[in-house]
Amino acid sequence: MTNIVLTGGTRGIGLGMARAFLERGHRVALCGGRAGSVERAEAELAGRDVLAMVADVADRSQVQALWDAAAGGFGRVDLWINNAGVSHRREPLWRLPEDEARTVVGVNLAGVLNGTAVAVAGMAAQGSGHVWNMEGLGSDGRTVPGLGVYGATKRAVTYLTGSAAGEMPPGVSIGLLSPGMVVTDLLTHDYDPQELRKARRMFNILADRVETVAPWLAERAVSQARNGAHVRWLTTGKVLRRFAAAPFTRRDVFGET
């Protein structure tokens, strides 16, 4: 049994991974930024060995409270996954409101900084543990018009994790999880209907559903927890094979008829 903390575990890939961990007999502490989402996730996962609480990952004291609750309830924390993430409207940087940009940076980058710092300190004290940080659009340096701030935070997370791998205390390790394109509200966020119709052509080649990706990531998060690990769902080889097969197959990741 592995004791796991998962930020942003109330929806999307986070909730899917929480469910997969619990189904495999692990214990999970998860957080979300809003009481309503935490209550819904807790109700959906009812009857499992789960601890759910509200925490703003941009506030280190709240992240510390999440660690304290998990370590106190489970006895120790084996894996900590910095999954919490938000996006913003598709706008050029100069038109994006400051408060919206600040929120994205606060959750996606400061949240990972806080989670990593708190988890590594706690794991150093207990003698072992592993931190996973979640990659996303922009991690590989690719740019998408209108998503500059989001992409910059994910690029920074990749750099931060690589740097931190050289600074881990004895017994503690860190790595990256890369889920690829997953059909969640983050993927389809802020498209107008015409743009979304066009984008879906690409999504139906490269994207996957939460129930496909989450169990795969959950298994490897437990089995491949070593320093500098980089677990990728959507590899270059998989991308090439999907494009080659696209003229001959029909994928509908949105489940529409």
Side-chain angles (χ1 to χ4, degrees), residues 42-56:
E42 192 171 23
E44 182 173 335
L45 301 171
R48 313 286 181 86
D49 205 347
V50 61
L51 183 159
M53 61 185 288
V54 177
D56 177 2

Side-chain angles (χ1 to χ4, degrees), residues 167-181:
E167 304 171 346
M168 290 294 100
V172 184
S173 55
I174 192 169
L176 289 162
L177 295 176
S178 180
M181 286 188 185

Side-chain angles (χ1 to χ4, degrees), residues 94 99 117 123 138 145 197 207 238:
W94 58 274
D99 60 344
M123 290 171 177
R197 280 195 296 273
K238 187 177 289 186

Side-chain angles (χ1 to χ4, degrees), residues 93-115:
L93 173 62
W94 58 274
R95 287 209 305 241
L96 189 67
E98 180 185 0
D99 60 344
E100 197 167 346
R102 189 183 302 277
T103 296
V104 172
V105 173
V107 174
N108 295 5
L109 181 53
V112 172
L113 287 167
N114 291 333

Side-chain angles (χ1 to χ4, degrees), residues 35-240:
S37 65
V38 171
E39 290 169 2
R40 285 191 294 272
E42 192 171 23
E44 182 173 335
L45 301 171
R48 313 286 181 86
D49 205 347
V50 61
L51 183 159
M53 61 185 288
V54 177
D56 177 2
V57 295
D59 181 340
R60 189 169 296 192
S61 66
Q62 295 187 42
V63 176
Q64 184 65 57
L66 176 61
W67 170 276
D68 292 343
F74 298 156
R76 60 175 286 117
V77 174
D78 301 304
L79 294 182
W80 179 288
I81 304 174
N82 288 309
N83 170 72
V86 296
S87 192
H88 55 80
R89 72 188 73 179
R90 293 171 183 269
E91 291 280 8
L93 173 62
W94 58 274
R95 287 209 305 241
L96 189 67
E98 180 185 0
D99 60 344
E100 197 167 346
R102 189 183 302 277
T103 296
V104 172
V105 173
V107 174
N108 295 5
L109 181 53
V112 172
L113 287 167
N114 291 333
T116 300
V118 167
V120 171
M123 290 171 177
Q126 69 185 16
S128 64
H130 182 85
V131 176
W132 287 111
N133 290 332
M134 193 72 73
E135 288 193 311
L137 175 70
S139 290
D140 60 359
R142 182 170 60 94
T143 62
V144 173
L147 288 176
V149 174
Y150 177 87
T153 62
K154 288 300 183 179
R155 184 66 163 169
V157 165
T158 300
Y159 178 92
L160 171 72
T161 306
S163 176
E167 304 171 346
M168 290 294 100
V172 184
S173 55
I174 192 169
L176 289 162
L177 295 176
S178 180
M181 286 188 185
V182 183
V183 181
T184 66
D185 56 349
L186 283 180
L187 182 68
T188 59
H189 177 72
D190 203 38
Y191 280 97
D192 67 38
Q194 184 175 358
E195 289 176 330
L196 185 56
R197 280 195 296 273
K198 294 179 181 178
R200 282 188 177 190
R201 298 171 188 167
M202 184 64 67
F203 294 159
N204 278 326
I205 296 173
L206 296 179
D208 292 279
R209 300 180 186 181
V210 168
E211 54 266 34
T212 300
V213 179
W216 187 92
L217 283 178
E219 289 180 359
R220 283 151 186 81
V222 174
S223 65
Q224 298 186 21
R226 60 183 182 274
N227 202 41
H230 197 167
V231 174
R232 300 177 179 88
W233 164 259
L234 192 61
T235 61
T236 300
K238 187 177 289 186
V239 169
L240 293 175

